[in-house]
Amino acid sequence: MSRPEHIAPPEIFYGDDEARKYTDNSRITSIQAEMAYRCLELLNLTEGPKYLLDIGCGSGLSGEILEEEGHIWVGFDISEAMLGIAHEREVEGDLFLQDAGQGLGFRPGVFDGCISVSVLQWLCNADKAINRPKARLQRFFSTLYASLNKGARAVFQFYPENDDQIQLIIDVATRCGFEGGLLVDYPNSKKAKKYYLCLFAGQQSGVKNQMPKALGEEEGEMHPDEVRSIQFEKRNRHTKKRRSDRKSVKNKDWIQRKKQFARDKGDKVVANDSKYTGRKRKVRF
């Protein structure tokens, strides 16, 4: 299956139809909410409402999580269709039509934190001749660093294509002044494995920057969805076993009773009983 960023630029790929399908899909919205909560957890914010930036906010699915947690947020996206749906849904955040690769135009030190879900990999794709991934990442991270408070965190959930892409992103972010690194939740799982880039915009006085702990690193620790999937498979196997152990009720006596009932009813012709009645046929090759 082709990656979305290989099919078309984001402003074209997420047109009216795709934007509507993305927002109305209950499975996608559930995953998006889960990842937004995880990003918010990794921000490690102090108590009280904060002013947060949602990069690639789309139709406002992640922004709704920020609202529920009592924060004020600003979001921007390159897809006009996505922002149109966000307006229809009447999300609370301020929305902008903006290409992250062109840099951010916010005042210095205005945000207390930043989250982004499923966006960062799009900046690594040269979908146009003028789009050079390294230069776009440079403009993005340098302007983002300037717009964050000292010591604020930026957390990006993304889907890297390969290790070279991960290294490129981390190298550019580090050159722009960020500290931090890559966090991989449930690294041993094919389905639940998620990549988070956790960055620190400088260091608060007296507070040492420390990378948060990834989920699922301990042996035997699984994602809740995987636990439910295993339980379902066990129940399914148990049900199949019970069905296979059950003897068939359609034996010779059952067939003869049914034929006698039809004869007594008298509305159709019933075949006579013979030595072949109720006999199991042999498999023919």
Side-chain angles (χ1 to χ4, degrees):
M1 184 177 178
S2 298
R3 294 171 63 92
E5 60 267 26
H6 291 171
I7 297 174
E11 64 271 26
I12 296 175
F13 181 83
Y14 288 108
D16 292 333
D17 293 339
E18 194 65 33
R20 184 71 61 183
K21 283 194 295 184
Y22 188 96
T23 307
D24 293 343
N25 188 305
S26 59
R27 174 65 176 163
I28 290 177
T29 54
S30 174
I31 295 173
Q32 179 97 4
E34 179 185 333
M35 294 187 295
Y37 275 119
R38 178 59 172 153
C39 286
L40 200 52
E41 179 186 356
L42 294 173
L43 284 181
N44 194 30
L45 299 169
T46 56
E47 291 187 8
K50 296 293 183 289
Y51 194 48
L52 304 178
L53 176 63
D54 184 3
I55 296 171
C57 63
S59 54
L61 298 177
S62 300
E64 286 182 331
I65 305 302
L66 302 181
E67 291 172 26
E68 290 175 7
E69 295 300 311
H71 302 295
I72 302 168
W73 65 282
V74 173
F76 70 84
D77 200 281
I78 196 173
S79 169
E80 195 170 350
M82 279 289 198
L83 293 176
I85 295 176
H87 278 295
E88 289 178 15
R89 299 174 69 242
E90 297 181 347
V91 297
E92 293 293 329
D94 295 322
L95 304 175
F96 296 90
L97 181 65
Q98 172 72 25
D99 178 7
Q102 298 298 323
L104 315 183
F106 300 108
R107 289 187 292 109
V110 68
F111 293 111
D112 300 312
C114 160
I115 71 166
S116 177
V117 176
S118 307
V119 173
L120 201 54
Q121 69 272 8
W122 288 93
L123 291 176
C124 299
N125 192 44
D127 47 40
K128 301 175 184 175
I130 59 172
N131 285 349
R132 292 181 294 120
K134 190 172 183 179
R136 286 169 62 77
L137 287 168
Q138 179 83 30
R139 283 193 296 269
F140 169 65
F141 281 122
S142 60
T143 52
L144 175 62
Y145 184 89
S147 67
L148 292 172
N149 281 329
K150 186 177 181 181
R153 295 188 185 187
V155 179
F156 302 85
Q157 183 280 324
F158 69 114
Y159 296 100
E161 187 173 1
N162 49 49
D163 291 340
D164 291 338
Q165 194 176 89
I166 295 173
Q167 195 59 50
L168 171 65
I169 292 171
I170 293 177
D171 287 346
V172 174
T174 303
R175 290 186 180 186
C176 292
F178 282 106
E179 299 176 23
L182 187 69
L183 192 77
V184 183
D185 282 350
Y186 304 102
N188 300 318
S189 171
K190 290 184 178 180
K191 291 184 178 180
K193 188 176 184 179
K194 292 290 184 296
Y195 291 84
Y196 294 89
L197 182 66
C198 188
L199 301 177
F200 304 88
Q203 186 173 324
Q204 292 179 346
S205 56
V207 180
K208 185 179 179 181
N209 291 333
Q210 188 174 3
M211 280 291 293
K213 186 180 178 182
L215 301 177
E217 286 187 326
E218 296 181 6
E219 188 176 352
E221 186 178 359
M222 292 187 294
H223 189 273
D225 285 348
E226 290 184 311
V227 175
R228 285 192 289 270
S229 178
I230 291 172
Q231 290 173 344
F232 175 78
E233 288 178 4
K234 285 182 178 178
R235 287 198 303 269
N236 205 23
R237 283 199 298 267
H238 183 64
T239 303
K240 286 182 178 178
K241 186 178 180 181
R242 282 191 306 180
R243 288 175 180 172
S244 63
D245 292 342
R246 190 170 57 187
K247 293 181 179 180
S248 176
V249 296
K250 295 183 179 181
N251 53 22
K252 187 172 182 178
D253 292 337
W254 181 87
I255 294 172
Q256 287 177 333
R257 282 198 305 271
K258 190 171 182 182
K259 289 170 74 174
Q260 187 59 47
F261 178 80
R263 289 191 191 102
D264 295 341
K265 199 173 181 183
D267 57 348
K268 59 182 178 180
V269 179
V270 180
N272 294 326
D273 293 337
S274 71
K275 65 178 182 179
Y276 300 107
T277 302
R279 199 173 187 180
K280 190 175 181 181
R281 295 187 180 185
K282 294 181 179 180
V283 178
R284 297 184 66 182
F285 293 91

